């Protein structure tokens, strides 16, 4: 694996606020990496540090093998797509695209040819003479992307580029950005707070919280084996159910506390009496006849989108359940719920780490 | 009647009412005197006909007479020098200061506020202060120039015909710089910061960013400040009254001061009015520039 971007022990302080804490991250050449996390966790700070728009306090940042700590942004050869797009309002689309070429001294005719070519691949050919204010949000987004593409940079940095678009366009652009990435063989770092975007687009997902990388890995690995309760709750939609539990006396089961205790044989050793939090994804719960089911619970809310039905149970803590189709239950009924014991995620109560 | 009332309450009529009020005020307080002034420039006016409106019309005689006077062209030229010199000085220094305070070092906004002091001072007071600074024998300006080796002998700023106009220009630059700086600062801070970040990532150095982002984005602010500067320098009167009184020998006389002199010193109201009309043409031109440049805001 060739690391295109490499961070070792990177810290960032704003005054006495510690925004990035000991970040170690290696981004493979040609990969698509998503940075996700709740608002304020330092995603943008990390991305802007890669671009050089923020300086890092300690640690090393390498891009394509060269140490970049002190290199100004314009010499790093990375391109960024801003959430606000940051298009130059006084320039036409074509001038926006060719700006980076012109400031580097490329002759105008050559730059225009490059712009025409990029515009063709991004479907902007008919808009080259327009000003940014004459474009729709989606078109502006495309211009921002094209402006990055035209330079063939060492890396593309995206800071929530789709958050100003409507839901349908967002889904569409998701695919388009990923296809573009593959076609260019680019290295991309993509910041988003939308875990679905991260899961669907990225080769690697980096989950951050409060300036710390909580876990990084392939999207489905994060889904299947979240390293801690935070990642478990963050990845997946609707969010994972968390149920307080204890290690069973037989040493291989857990006792879920959902009003009344319910023992589940997990098939591997669990320390008896150990305080646990058990995670169970809504989509891993199925409906079963009440008399044969593991759990028998009353239903509080039923919501259906037609394709799927979302149940919320009247238990403490309440459970979210997703079932395919209509489900055929109504609020107030008692239903039986089943799940595979292997689908349970066990976390230590104190450390919140996976067991 | 009811239709009119309801239209005022919730429709078009209200807009018209809102516009009519300031328009009426403007017409009464500015429009009428302006027209009166223009009419007067085509009449023969003396002390005896001053009180009536029906004075003999003389066509363009006032204009012909004016341009036949030997001092007219020099004074028009002085006005040009005064306007161009003042605006250039105010704008360049003001823009420089605005860029300087834009860097936002600790205390920047506080210091910037201090600059406004010059702007709130009455022109006559500013004139008095500059009289001392410019004074030939004991003035601070001469002292500084002498000590730094730029001049060898004292310059009598206010009484030397070669320098008198520049004495007023210097004072006027000082007076107008703060206003330029504030307006340009506002323009600068309205430029979104992410444009600079994008330009920096696109590879532009500081110089290129200034020419390709800052200046074009400031176009409307710059147009507005220069047009306003033209209007303000053309109405600058106090400084002339306080520093040189247009002298010696008209060497620092400009149209706005001359118009007053002709009207209220020599009681040649027709000539005074004639000069005013010529100035109005220039100010109208400046107003058009101002309106156009504020209308063509290039923002997002
Ligand atoms: N210039 C600054 N000065 C001080 N603190 C800052 C500065 N910029 C960011 N921070 C702080 O650093 C933390 C991380 O900010 P950052 O913008 O990276 O968050 P984020 O993960 O991108 O969040 P969001 O999803 O809301 O964009 C926040 O708590 C923020 O308050
Ligand atoms: Mg952010």
């Amino acid at each position: 694996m060739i690391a295109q971007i490499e961070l070792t022990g990177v810290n960032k302080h704003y005054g006495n606020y510690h925004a990035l804490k000991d970040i170690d991250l290696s981004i493979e050449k040609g990969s698509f990496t998503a940075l996700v996390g709740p608002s304020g966790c330092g995603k943008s700070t990390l991305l802007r540090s890669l671009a050089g728009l923020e300086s890092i306090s300690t640690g090393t940042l390498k891009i394509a093998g060269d140490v970049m700590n002190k290199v100004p942004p314009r010499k790093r050869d990375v391109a960024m797509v801003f959430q606000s797009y940051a298009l130059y309002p006084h320039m036409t689309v074509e001038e926006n695209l060719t700006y980076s070429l012109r400031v580097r001294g490329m002759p105008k005719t050559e730059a225009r040819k490059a712009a025409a070519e990029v515009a063709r691949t991004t479907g902007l050919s008919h808009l080259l003479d327009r000003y940014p204010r004459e474009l729709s949000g989606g078109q502006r987004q495309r211009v921002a992307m094209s402006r990055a593409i035209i330079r063939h940079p060492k890396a593309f940095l995206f800071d929530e580029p789709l958050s100003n678009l409507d839901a349908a366009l967002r889904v569409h652009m998701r695919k388009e950005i990923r296809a573009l990435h593959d076609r260019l063989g680019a290295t991309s770092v993509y910041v988003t707070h939308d875990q679905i975007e991260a899961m669907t687009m990225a080769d690697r997902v980096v989950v951050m919280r409060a300036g710390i990388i909580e876990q990084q890995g392939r999207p489905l690995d994060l889904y299947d084996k979240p390293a801690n309760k935070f990642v478990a709750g963050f990845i997946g939609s609707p969010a994972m159910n968390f149920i307080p539990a204890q290690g069973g006396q037989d040493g291989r089961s857990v006792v879920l506390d959902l009003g009344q205790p319910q023992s589940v044989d997990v098939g591997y050793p669990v320390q008896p009496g150990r305080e646990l939090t058990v995670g169970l994804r809504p989509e891993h719960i199925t409906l079963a006849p009440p008399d044969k089911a593991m759990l028998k619970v009353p239903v509080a809310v039923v919501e259906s989108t037609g394709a799927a039905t979302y149940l919320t149970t009247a238990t403490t803590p309440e459970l979210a359940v997703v079932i395919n189709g209509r489900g055929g239950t109504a609020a107030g009924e008692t239903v039986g719920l089943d799940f595979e014991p292997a689908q349970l995620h066990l976390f230590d109560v104190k450390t919140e780490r996976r067991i | 009647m009811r239709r009119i009332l309801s239209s005022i309450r919730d429709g078009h009529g209200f807009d018209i009412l809102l516009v009519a009020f300031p328009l009426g005020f403007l017409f009464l307080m500015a429009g009428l005197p302006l027209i009166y002034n223009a009419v007067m420039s085509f009449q023969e006016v003396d002390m005896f006909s001053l009180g009536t409106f029906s004075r003999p019309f003389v066509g363009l005689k006032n204009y012909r007479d004016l341009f036949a006077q030997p001092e007219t062209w020099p004074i028009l030229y002085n006005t040009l020098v005064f306007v161009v010199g003042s605006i250039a000085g105010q704008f360049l220094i003001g823009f420089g200061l605005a860029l300087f305070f834009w860097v936002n070092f600790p205390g920047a906004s506080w210091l910037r506020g201090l600059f406004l002091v010059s702007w709130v001072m009455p022109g006559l007071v500013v004139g008095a202060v500059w009289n001392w600074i410019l004074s030939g024998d004991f003035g601070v300006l001469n002292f500084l120039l002498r000590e730094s080796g730029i001049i060898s002998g004292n310059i009598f700023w206010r009484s030397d015909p070669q320098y008198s106009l520049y004495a007023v220009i210097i004072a006027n630059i000082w007076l107008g710089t703060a206003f330029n700086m504030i307006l340009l600062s506002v323009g600068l801070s309205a430029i979104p910061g992410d444009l600079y970040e994008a330009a920096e990532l696109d590879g532009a150095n500081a110089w290129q960013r200034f020419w390709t982002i800052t200046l074009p984005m400031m176009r409307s602010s710059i147009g507005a400040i220069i047009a306003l500067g033209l209007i303000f320098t053309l109405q600058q009167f106090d400084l002339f009254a306080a520093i040189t009184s247009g002298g010696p020998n008209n060497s620092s006389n400009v149209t706005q001061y001359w118009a007053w002199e002709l009207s209220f010193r020599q009681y040649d109201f027709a000539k005074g009015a004639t000069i005013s009309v010529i100035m109005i043409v220039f100010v109208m031109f400046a107003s058009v520039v101002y309106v156009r440049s504020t209308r063509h805001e290039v923002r997002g």
Side-chain angles (χ1 to χ4, degrees):
Chain A
M1 155 177 156
I2 319 162
Q4 181 76 345
I5 301 175
E6 209 171 356
L7 296 103
T8 356
V10 166
N11 281 281
K12 170 74 189 172
H13 298 268
Y14 287 114
N16 47 23
Y17 181 75
H18 200 167
L20 296 178
K21 298 169 188 159
D22 280 321
I23 301 288
D24 288 313
L25 180 63
S26 178
I27 290 167
E28 198 178 332
K29 185 163 188 177
S31 71
F32 196 111
T33 303
L35 298 178
V36 280
S39 185
C41 69
K43 311 178 293 285
S44 299
T45 306
L46 183 55
L47 197 75
R48 291 167 58 81
S49 304
L50 299 183
L53 298 173
E54 304 284 354
S55 60
I56 54 179
S57 310
T58 59
T60 343
L61 162 65
K62 283 188 188 170
I63 297 178
D66 302 319
V67 176
M68 287 286 164
N69 287 26
K70 290 271 176 319
V71 177
R74 66 195 177 87
K75 297 209 171 125
R76 291 195 184 192
D77 195 19
V78 297
M80 188 155 162
V81 177
F82 294 79
Q83 180 176 355
S84 61
Y85 311 143
L87 302 180
Y88 310 123
H90 55 290
M91 298 185 199
T92 61
V93 170
E94 183 175 37
E95 287 165 339
N96 265 281
L97 296 191
T98 57
Y99 184 78
S100 61
L101 307 176
R102 284 182 290 130
V103 296
R104 286 190 170 78
M106 184 186 274
K108 204 158 182 183
T109 49
E110 219 172 301
R112 292 190 60 164
K113 222 189 285 165
E117 200 164 313
V118 170
R120 201 154 39 78
T121 66
T122 52
L124 287 173
S125 296
H126 59 297
L127 301 172
L128 282 174
D129 295 329
R130 298 252 192 112
Y131 284 92
R133 61 173 174 275
E134 301 163 345
L135 300 178
S136 73
Q139 289 166 336
R140 285 180 206 192
Q141 214 282 331
R142 259 169 230 268
V143 177
M145 300 247 304
S146 310
R147 191 171 65 176
I149 294 168
I150 200 167
R151 288 167 45 195
H152 305 294
K154 292 208 183 86
F156 289 98
L157 310 177
F158 298 89
D159 194 350
E160 310 204 11
L162 304 183
S163 52
N164 290 335
L165 305 181
D166 67 47
L169 192 54
R170 201 147 56 205
V171 172
H172 174 76
M173 288 305 291
R174 229 151 66 186
K175 294 200 198 88
E176 208 163 291
I177 292 179
R178 178 65 218 213
L180 206 62
H181 166 91
D182 291 336
R183 186 148 38 86
L184 298 170
T187 307
S188 304
V189 184
Y190 189 100
V191 163
T192 174
H193 60 249
D194 179 353
Q195 52 95 19
I196 295 194
E197 242 172 54
M199 297 290 282
T200 52
M201 294 174 80
D203 305 319
R204 275 187 92 70
V205 175
V206 177
V207 182
M208 293 182 68
R209 173 169 63 161
I212 291 174
I213 294 183
E214 292 281 1
Q215 189 177 5
Q216 47 178 308
R218 289 190 306 229
L220 292 183
D221 289 348
L222 264 60
Y223 179 87
D224 292 335
K225 289 203 160 41
N228 53 44
K229 195 179 152 197
F230 172 75
V231 176
F234 194 79
I235 301 287
S237 167
M240 186 185 276
N241 296 302
F242 292 110
I243 309 157
Q246 273 187 344
Q249 288 311 318
D250 60 358
R252 44 180 294 121
S253 65
V254 291
V255 182
L256 305 180
D257 178 13
L258 273 169
Q260 79 265 47
Q262 169 69 41
S263 181
V264 181
D265 192 338
V266 290
Y268 50 82
V270 180
Q271 191 191 340
R274 183 171 181 178
E275 297 286 331
L276 302 166
T277 302
V278 166
L280 178 58
R281 296 198 181 276
E283 58 270 34
H284 290 154
I285 305 176
T286 51
L287 285 184
D291 45 329
K292 278 187 273 173
M294 275 192 211
L295 304 171
K296 230 167 73 180
V297 293
V299 175
V301 182
V302 178
E303 296 159 310
S304 184
T305 60
T309 303
Y310 299 83
L311 307 183
T312 309
T313 64
T315 51
T316 25
E318 56 187 30
L319 296 180
V321 179
V322 181
I323 47 182
N324 280 331
R326 306 292 161 99
T329 51
E333 281 178 29
T334 297
V335 296
L337 299 179
D338 242 342
F339 54 87
E340 290 289 318
Q343 304 282 21
L344 293 182
H345 302 264
L346 272 51
F347 303 99
D348 186 83
V349 164
K350 289 244 171 50
T351 63
E352 302 198 337
R353 306 214 137 272
R354 180 185 192 79
I355 297 172
Chain B
M1 189 64 204
R2 199 136 35 98
R3 278 244 314 266
I4 294 175
L5 266 181
S6 88
S7 143
I8 285 176
R9 243 197 324 275
D10 45 39
H12 213 59
F14 187 65
D15 302 350
I16 293 174
L17 196 76
L18 275 184
V19 175
F21 198 73
L23 267 187
F25 182 81
L26 260 180
F27 179 74
L28 222 76
M29 306 305 282
L32 280 184
L34 217 75
I35 293 168
Y36 185 65
N37 184 74
V39 169
M40 216 153 76
S41 75
F42 297 104
Q43 291 178 329
E44 194 183 298
V45 190
D46 53 34
M47 285 304 277
F48 305 103
S49 63
L50 198 55
T52 65
F53 193 61
S54 58
R55 292 176 286 246
F57 272 87
V58 291
L60 290 174
K61 177 167 175 296
N62 287 328
Y63 291 84
R64 272 198 303 274
D65 287 354
L66 187 77
F67 283 98
Q69 270 172 259
E71 65 266 41
T72 305
W73 283 110
I75 287 177
L76 281 175
Y77 179 72
N78 283 349
T79 311
L80 183 74
V81 171
F82 178 71
V83 166
V84 172
S86 296
I87 292 180
Q90 289 172 355
F91 175 75
L92 289 178
I93 299 174
F95 203 12
L97 284 172
L99 288 170
F100 176 67
F101 285 117
W102 193 36
V103 177
N104 237 341
F105 50 89
S109 56
W110 189 79
L111 256 179
R112 185 165 49 194
L114 274 187
F115 270 84
L116 277 181
V117 166
S118 72
W119 194 40
V120 297
M121 287 225 274
L124 280 174
V125 176
V126 174
V129 172
W130 276 94
N131 273 342
W132 290 326
I133 298 175
L134 295 167
S135 157
D137 298 317
F138 52 84
V140 176
L141 186 62
N142 274 342
F143 173 77
L144 288 177
L145 292 175
R146 220 171 39 233
E147 290 301 305
S148 55
I150 294 172
I151 55 169
S152 47
N154 280 346
I155 295 177
F156 286 81
W157 289 98
R158 297 166 52 214
S159 49
D160 187 329
Q162 272 211 296
Y163 292 105
S164 54
L165 182 61
Y166 294 96
V168 190
I169 291 178
I170 290 171
N172 193 36
I173 287 174
W174 184 85
L175 190 64
T177 293
F179 180 67
N180 276 253
M181 181 193 72
I182 294 295
L183 230 69
L184 292 169
S185 285
V186 172
L188 280 177
S189 60
I191 304 176
D194 54 9
L195 291 188
Y196 289 99
E197 293 182 340
E200 215 174 333
L201 285 170
D202 270 346
N205 58 32
W207 182 248
Q208 287 169 323
R209 291 198 294 274
F210 178 77
W211 284 100
T212 57
I213 310 288
T214 310
L215 270 190
M217 291 296 286
M218 291 286 287
R219 221 181 54 185
S220 60
S221 294
I222 291 174
I225 193 67
I226 287 185
L228 283 179
L230 182 59
I231 293 168
F232 287 158
T233 46
L234 277 180
Q235 70 178 34
Q236 181 49 261
F237 177 85
D238 310 17
L239 287 180
F240 288 95
I243 298 177
T244 62
S245 304
N249 190 24
N250 282 335
S251 64
S252 67
N253 209 352
V254 291
T255 45
Q256 63 267 38
Y257 192 76
W258 196 33
W260 172 81
E261 246 184 11
L262 286 175
S263 295
F264 299 106
R265 281 285 173 79
Q266 300 167 21
Y267 302 111
D268 192 345
F269 291 97
K271 285 263 178 53
T274 309
I275 297 172
S276 304
V277 170
I278 294 171
M279 289 180 66
I280 287 168
V281 174
F282 282 108
V283 172
M284 294 241 271
F285 174 74
S287 310
V288 171
V289 172
Y290 173 74
V291 169
R292 284 189 66 93
S293 67
T294 48
R295 196 175 46 197
H296 284 286
E297 296 263 300
V298 266
R299 294 272 141 84

